Amino acid sequence: MTLETIIGLEIHVELDTKTKIFCNCSTKFGKKPNENTCPICLGLPGTLPVMNERVIELAVKAGLAINCNINTLNKMDRKNYFYPDLPKAYQISQYDLPICQDGYVDIETEQGSKRIRINRIHMEEDAGKLVHDEFEPVSYIDYNRVGVPLIEIVTEPDIRSIDEAIIFLKTLKNILEYADISDCKMEEGSLRCDANISMRKVGDTKLNTRVELKNINSFKELEKALLKEQKRQSELYKYGEDYKIIQETRRWDSAKGKTIPMRGKEEAHDYRYFPEPDIIPLIVKNEILENAKASLPELPSIKKERFIKDYALTETDASIIVADKYLANYFEDIVKEGADAKNASNWILRDVIRILNEQKIEAKDFNLPAKELATIIKLTKENKINSSSATLVFDEILKTNKTALEIIEEKSLLQSNDSSEIEAIVDKVIFENENVVKQYKEGNKKVLGFLVGQIMKATKGKVNPKIANEILSKKLN
C-alpha cells in the first residue's frame, strides 16, 4: 500500500508590539518571571480588557501580505481553557469571524511552484509559560507571556511532504519579517507552529484521522517530529493497526526522538466558544486598511524577480540573498555605493556568509559598512588591489573598524600597474630561475604559474598579476 502524507500547519506569530493585546504591560522578552504582569492580563476579577489597535493594524497587514480577504467586521470570542498557563481559565481569541480569511502563499519546490491555501488568520492572546523542575515534582509558571498579542495563521491541508512543510514555513517567516509583522525569533517563541499530520492511500480523497504535534519552534525540530510521526503512522497502516491512530495532541520529545501523547485533540465545541462580552465587535476602519496597504514593502518573491532582472543575478544567488531581508538590503546598499552588482553578490555569498557562520551571528548584526565593502569591490575591479589584499582588508575592517583606505595605506596594499616596473621584476625572476625557464621552453607550460608566484612573492603581492603574466609570457615565447 502506497501512502501519501497530508500536513496542515497552524503558525503562532507574536506581533511586534510594545505592549500586550489588552493592557499596557510590556512585551519585552527576557524579563524576570512575572515582572510584565498586571491585574488585566492576569484576568483578576473586576478588570476589563481594552483592545490594542496596533494589533489590528499588524493583523491586517499580515493578511494583505499573504493574500487574504480582510473581514472589516470581526469579533473576539471567549475560548474556555482549563490549563494553568492562563489564570482566568479562558483565552480571548476569534472563532467564527476572524480578521482574515482565504489567502495563499506560493512556495518554490523542486517540482515547481505550489500554492498553499490559508484558511484564516485570527488574533488572540498568548498563554503563560510552564517550567517543569527537572529534579523536584513541581512546576513553575511565568505569566510574562500572558496577553502578548498573537496571530494564528492556519493553512488548509495542502502540504504533501515534510520538505514542503519546511519550505512553506521558511517562506512564510520571510514574508512576515519583510513586512515587519514580527521579529520571528523562533528560539524566543515568537514564531512556533503546531503541525497536523495524517496519512492516506494514494488516490483516496478522504482525509483520515490527524494527529497534532504541538509547539515546535525550529525548522530542524519540525522536520524531525514530522518524520517520526510519519513513520509511526505508516507502520500502523502497514500492519493493519491504523485504528490505533486517534485524534490527539502529541508532544515532540527531541531528547527521546519520539512523539508522546499529551491529550485528546479537542474539537471546537469542546472549548464552548461564545462572543467575548467585554469587547464589542471590531470594525477595521478604512484608514487602517489603506495604511496597511501603503506600508507593505516589496515582498521577497517580487524582490527576487527584480534582483534577477535589474542586477542579472542567477536565480540561485537571488534566492539566497533575498531569503534574508537584511542581506537583501545590504546587497542593495553596496550597489548604491557604486559597486558592481555581480561582485557585490559574490562577496555576500562568499565572505559575508562566511563571517556570519564563523561568528554565529545574524545578518542584521553584521557590522561592516556597505560603503567600505563597496570601496573594496571597486578597488579590486580597478586592479588597484588584488583579491588576496581585498580579503585581508575585509577581515581587518571587521577587527579594527578602520576604513578600507586607511588599511590599504597602512599596509601598502595598492598594487603596481606600471609595466616598466613589473618588467624589471620579471627579468629578475627569469634570471634567478634558469632551470624552470628551461623546462617551460621544453614544453612544460605548467611551470608558468610557479614563475608568476615568484613575481608575486618578490613584490609581496603588490603588482598586477594579470600584467605580470602577460609580460612573462611575452618574454618566454
Side-chain angles (χ1 to χ4, degrees), residues 281-296:
L282 303 172
I283 296 174
V284 178
K285 300 172 192 169
N286 192 50
E287 181 185 351
I288 289 178
L289 196 55
E290 292 305 316
N291 285 343
K293 288 178 183 175
S295 66
L296 266 186

Side-chain angles (χ1 to χ4, degrees), residues 367-369 372 393-404 406-407:
N367 62 359
L368 194 151
E372 298 306 321
V393 174
F394 177 87
D395 290 337
E396 283 294 308
I397 294 174
L398 289 169
K399 292 176 187 170
T400 64
N401 289 326
K402 292 178 180 175
T403 67
E406 285 172 343
I407 294 166

Side-chain angles (χ1 to χ4, degrees), residues 135 228 353:
F135 305 104
K228 200 66 179 183
I353 290 180

Side-chain angles (χ1 to χ4, degrees), residues 427-443:
D427 287 340
K428 184 170 180 289
V429 168
I430 289 175
F431 177 76
E432 292 175 347
N433 294 276
E434 187 179 343
N435 289 335
V436 179
V437 171
K438 184 181 176 187
Q439 290 176 38
Y440 179 84
K441 291 191 173 178
E442 288 173 352

Side-chain angles (χ1 to χ4, degrees), residues 264-312:
K265 171 66 177 172
E266 295 90 346
E267 297 287 0
H269 62 258
D270 293 321
Y271 291 116
R272 292 179 292 121
Y273 283 95
F274 62 91
E276 168 57 49
D278 293 333
I279 299 178
I280 61 173
L282 303 172
I283 296 174
V284 178
K285 300 172 192 169
N286 192 50
E287 181 185 351
I288 289 178
L289 196 55
E290 292 305 316
N291 285 343
K293 288 178 183 175
S295 66
L296 266 186
E298 181 182 46
L299 294 174
S301 58
I302 298 171
K303 190 181 286 289
K304 176 184 158 186
E305 293 305 316
R306 182 169 64 79
F307 278 14
I308 293 171
K309 178 174 175 288
D310 291 357
Y311 301 124

Side-chain angles (χ1 to χ4, degrees), residues 30-50:
K31 290 290 186 180
K32 291 179 183 175
N34 300 309
E35 186 174 348
N36 292 342
T37 57
C38 74
I40 295 175
C41 56
L42 290 176
L44 299 186
T47 58
L48 290 173
V50 177

